Amino acid sequence: MSSKGDGASLPLFAEAPSEIDVRGFTFWAPWADAIVRPPRGTAPYAKNVDNRPERSALASRVNRHIAIHTGKTIHREGLAWLNATFSYGWTEADLAPAGVILGVARVVGPAQNFSSPWHFGAMYNGKPNVGWLINDVVTFDTPVTGAGGARINGALGCWRLPDDVLAEVRARYAAEKRRAAERTAALRA
């Protein structure tokens, strides 16, 4: 841990919120929504593990941030699984639109020896699987869009956000971190 002089203790990998190293990472619907905005009353069931092949692009983001981007594809089997497993009660109409950034999260690393209903095990659909642990999720009040409300195009793996989108994501992230710090200080007072 390192001290910033104001009595706050931050992990060594912490960055100034306005300067975070963040890359876009596209999730099919409903997975992006499940990470950043699970329905009220299902809080313990926010998606905290993402299942990917062992050689996932997430390996390059360990202890770094990803912007949660909504893809165009809707995984209908996944939506049915969410509703059956966690009683989300979502329909396709409840999902965020494609091509927006819903928030930011930190990739912790492989979820080894980690118990979570989101981790599908070492093999998934007959293929090797690694569950990537995601935490420190910061949800934006409204999604970040491209200029004039345009959709943001994603890509496979981790990708660079357009400069204007990166600036907006950093500003929103910093504002949310400030609000969280103020709420914590008020609770301690």
Side-chain angles (χ1 to χ4, degrees):
M1 303 296 272
S2 69
S3 177
K4 292 290 185 185
D6 60 356
S9 193
L10 297 173
L12 291 174
F13 54 81
E15 304 157 273
S18 61
E19 299 174 6
I20 63 167
D21 174 22
V22 63
R23 296 285 189 271
F25 198 85
T26 302
F27 294 86
W28 288 0
W31 308 122
D33 296 87
I35 293 168
V36 300
R37 55 179 209 95
R40 292 188 188 272
T42 63
Y45 301 114
K47 182 171 170 49
N48 63 351
V49 174
D50 189 54
N51 295 280
R52 300 278 168 163
E54 189 170 354
R55 296 189 186 274
S56 168
L58 289 176
S60 69
R61 301 305 302 168
V62 171
N63 279 331
R64 297 164 89 190
H65 294 88
I66 54 172
I68 309 298
H69 176 259
T70 57
K72 295 176 187 175
T73 303
I74 296 176
H75 189 243
R76 288 178 178 84
E77 289 174 19
L79 182 59
W81 180 83
L82 282 175
N83 289 330
T85 305
F86 302 117
S87 302
Y88 272 28
W90 282 348
T91 66
E92 289 183 27
D94 296 315
L95 303 175
V100 299
I101 305 290
L102 298 178
V104 171
R106 187 171 59 88
V107 177
V108 177
Q112 299 170 341
N113 301 318
F114 184 77
S115 177
S116 169
W118 296 101
H119 187 218
F120 298 155
M123 296 293 286
Y124 179 64
N125 286 338
K127 297 178 184 173
N129 177 62
V130 174
W132 293 91
L133 185 58
I134 300 169
N135 74 2
D136 298 334
V137 176
V138 173
T139 303
F140 300 146
D141 289 336
T142 58
V144 173
T145 62
R151 288 184 177 176
I152 302 164
N153 291 324
L156 292 175
C158 294
W159 44 274
R160 292 189 182 277
L161 300 170
D163 290 343
D164 60 329
V165 172
L166 177 60
E168 182 66 18
V169 165
R170 285 177 168 167
R172 299 257 197 110
Y173 179 81
E176 290 298 329
K177 287 301 228 181
R178 246 187 331 275
R179 279 194 281 276
E182 290 167 0
R183 285 190 300 269
T184 299
L187 289 173
R188 290 183 180 164

